[in-house]
Amino acid sequence: MKRYLLLLPLLFPLAARSQSNNAPSTYDPHEIAITGYLQTQYQRAQSEGILSFSGGDFSKNSRDRFIIRRGRLKIDRVDKYSSIVFQIDATQNGVQLMDAFIQLYRPTSKDLIFTAGLFNRPFGHSIVYSSGFRDFPERARVFQTLMPRERDIGAMISYHPKNIFKFITADLALVSGSGYAARDYDSKKDVIGNLAFKFDSLANKKLHIGFGGSVYKGSVRNDTESYYTFEGDQYVKHSGAENVGWNAKRDYFGGNLQLQYDNTFGKTIFKAEYIGGTQPGVASSPSINGPMASQSFSAQPTTDLYLRPFSGYYLWLTQQIAKSKFTALLAYDAYDPNRKLKESDIGLKSNTSAGDIKFSTLGYGLTYVLNTRVKITLYNEHVVNDPTSLPGYTEDLKDDVFTARLQYRW
C-alpha cells in the first residue's frame, strides 16, 4: 500500500503550487512529483522574417507560424532537510535543460535556504515568476535582452522568515555570469542581490502589496585591444594591448511594485518594474542582427565591446471582468539600450548602430480560464521604434505580432 501512496503525486496536481521557478512544486515533504505545462500557439506577424521578442525571430519568408512556445516538465522531491528540482523544456526545436538545483535547509525551518545548480537569477519580480502563471505571453524586452533564458549556474542563499518578519524575502547569489547552459569564459563571477517585501490581506483582506529592489554586479571579459565607452554624446574608442583580458563592468539596479485589489467587479492587478545601469554589448553587424547587439553573452564576445548606459521598464495591468473567467490585459514596456543617445543621431554619430535603438511595445489582449488546467490567451503587440539615419531603420519597422495561445498545466 505504501508503494502506491508514493505514486499519488504523479497522478494528481499538488495542492500548493509554487509560482516561483526557484522552488519545488511545494515544500511539503513528498517523493517524486511531476508537474509542468504546455503552451502551443499560432502567431501572425505584420511582416515576413521580422526580428521578434515574442517567441523568437520569424523565418525569412514567413509571417505566420505554429509553435510550441514552452513544453515544461518539472520533477522534484522534498524531504525534511533538502529538495531537488529538475526541469526540461521540450519544443519543436528539441529538448533543453531549464532547471537543475539542490536546496538545503534546517529540518525545523525553511527560513534559510541554500541553493546550488542551474536556477533563475534572483533579480526583480518577473524573472523568477513562472511563465506558467504569468498572464502576459512574454517577459518584457529589456529582461529578455539582459537576462536571456533567465537562468544562470551558481549558488544562492535565500532568507524568508516565518515569524513577525514573514513579509521579507532576501536573496544573495553568486553566478557564472555566462547565463543559461553556458561555460564560464573567464574567472570572474557575478553577484546578484534581491530584497522583496510582500503584505497580504490589507484593507479588509482586499488589498495585496509587494515591492522590492535588486542589484546585479558583474563583468564581461574583453577579448580585443579596443573597447568603446559613451561619453558626452558620442562613443569614445580606447585602444591598447593592455585592454585584452580587461573586464568591462556589467552593473544593473532595479525596483519593482505589485498591487492587487479584490473588488466587487473582479480582481485588479498592476505590476511595474524598472531596471537601469551599464550593459557591455557589441556593434550591430550582419552576424549580430539589430537589437541583439546589446544582448548579454553566453560565450566570449570576439569583437570590440561597447559599454552602453541603458534603461528599461514595463507596466502591466490585468482586470478580471465581472468576476468571470475572462481577464483583460494591457501592457506597455520600453527598452533604451543607450539612454544618452538621441534616436536622430543614430547613423550620424560615429560607431552608432542598430544596437542603440530604443523599442517600445504596447500590448493588449484577453485571457479565458476554462478550468484550473486550461487557459486561452489572445494578445496583440504593437512594437514601435523611432526613425534613425541607419539603413533599414529610417522609419518604424512593421513588426507587430498577434498571438493566440492554448495552455495546459498539470
Side-chain angles (χ1 to χ4, degrees), residues 22 27 103-106 109-115 122 156-173 192-198:
N22 288 339
Y27 276 109
Q103 294 185 324
L104 304 176
Y105 36 77
R106 295 183 300 168
S109 171
K110 297 181 180 65
D111 290 1
L112 195 65
I113 298 178
F114 174 77
T115 304
M156 173 173 63
I157 295 177
S158 301
Y159 179 63
H160 182 48
K162 304 299 187 291
N163 53 25
I164 191 174
F165 298 108
K166 62 182 180 180
F167 55 86
I168 297 175
T169 299
D171 303 291
L172 182 64
I192 309 173
N194 182 62
L195 183 63
F197 303 86
K198 187 176 182 180

Side-chain angles (χ1 to χ4, degrees), residues 231-289:
E231 300 176 16
D233 61 350
Q234 63 183 346
Y235 281 106
V236 176
K237 184 176 183 179
H238 306 267
S239 298
E242 68 278 5
N243 293 327
V244 178
W246 173 75
N247 282 81
K249 70 176 182 178
R250 178 189 180 191
D251 292 351
Y252 313 152
F253 60 90
N256 59 85
L257 172 69
Q258 304 85 46
L259 299 174
Q260 176 179 321
Y261 184 64
D262 303 328
N263 52 71
T264 54
F265 185 73
K267 185 187 303 180
T268 303
I269 300 176
F270 174 74
K271 297 183 178 182
E273 192 161 358
Y274 172 86
I275 182 172
T278 301
Q279 170 71 352
V282 295
S284 179
S285 67
S287 60
I288 302 177
N289 293 323

Side-chain angles (χ1 to χ4, degrees), residues 303-322:
T303 58
D304 294 346
L305 291 181
Y306 283 66
L307 274 67
R308 297 184 173 99
F310 75 90
S311 65
Y313 63 91
Y314 68 79
L315 306 171
W316 288 348
L317 178 66
T318 65
Q319 175 63 58
Q320 184 184 16
I321 301 175

